[in-house]
Amino acid sequence: MQRSKIDIWVGLFVLLGAAALLFLALQAGNLLSLSGGGGYQVQAQFQDIGGLKPKSAVKSSGVVVGRVKSIDFDDKTYQATVTLDMNDRYHFPNDSSLKIMTSGLLGDQYIGIEAGYSDINWKTGDKITNTQSAVVLENLIGQFMNSKALEAGTPTAGSDGAAAGDAATEPAHDAPAATVAEEAASGAHSGSNPAAAAATAASGAIQ
């Protein structure tokens, strides 16, 4: 009899532990909401929602104020339409902005609300266009790699200038030799000794 009571208590503790683990798993996956059924729904449009999923949290200042109810695609604007199920306890001005954020570096994505200053609050059926899309890590890496490739393939202005300067100074070294040849030829035409004329012109060029 005593043995059976111990087995019953052990079974109860195991069931409670399993229920607690299930609850934590649902909470971590944004699959469980303890808020009441009352609230209001608004819609927001985003160019890119990244990894946002239904049941994702809607937060303001780190506090969960709603959940993502559904995500659809608008084939007229070619944007994602996200329906938010907001807690009726929290109201925000209609000029507030939404942006998709990430918990940590590679955590779950959620919608953050930056409250505005209008005296009129959101109400059921409002459509929010003041939004900021998700930052996709793959796009950032691609842009970084492209910028580095462009920098590596573009020559610097200093090297081009140095090459042009060297090319411009090369004819200057050949100028004395051309002068010697011209003076030697003129000496030959005038009847003087060509060797002496060439030697005289060379000594003048050296000086």
Side-chain angles (χ1 to χ4, degrees), residues 65-143:
V65 296
R67 294 280 175 181
V68 175
K69 181 179 181 181
S70 62
I71 300 175
D72 299 311
F73 180 74
D74 190 346
D75 56 359
K76 294 181 180 179
T77 61
Y78 300 103
Q79 292 182 337
T81 301
V82 181
T83 302
L84 308 180
D85 192 3
M86 304 295 297
N87 194 318
D88 196 37
R89 294 173 52 194
Y90 309 107
H91 298 274
F92 296 91
N94 61 2
D95 61 344
S96 301
S97 61
L98 303 178
K99 56 183 176 180
I100 299 178
M101 307 177 70
T102 304
S103 300
L105 183 61
L106 298 174
D108 294 332
Q109 290 186 322
Y110 65 93
I111 294 181
I113 301 178
E114 186 174 348
Y117 302 96
S118 176
D119 296 331
I120 303 175
N121 294 330
W122 287 338
K123 61 182 182 299
T124 299
D126 284 351
K127 293 186 177 182
I128 306 167
T129 57
N130 187 13
T131 60
Q132 180 178 336
S133 298
V135 177
V136 182
L137 184 61
E138 290 80 1
N139 293 342
L140 291 178
I141 295 176
Q143 293 176 1

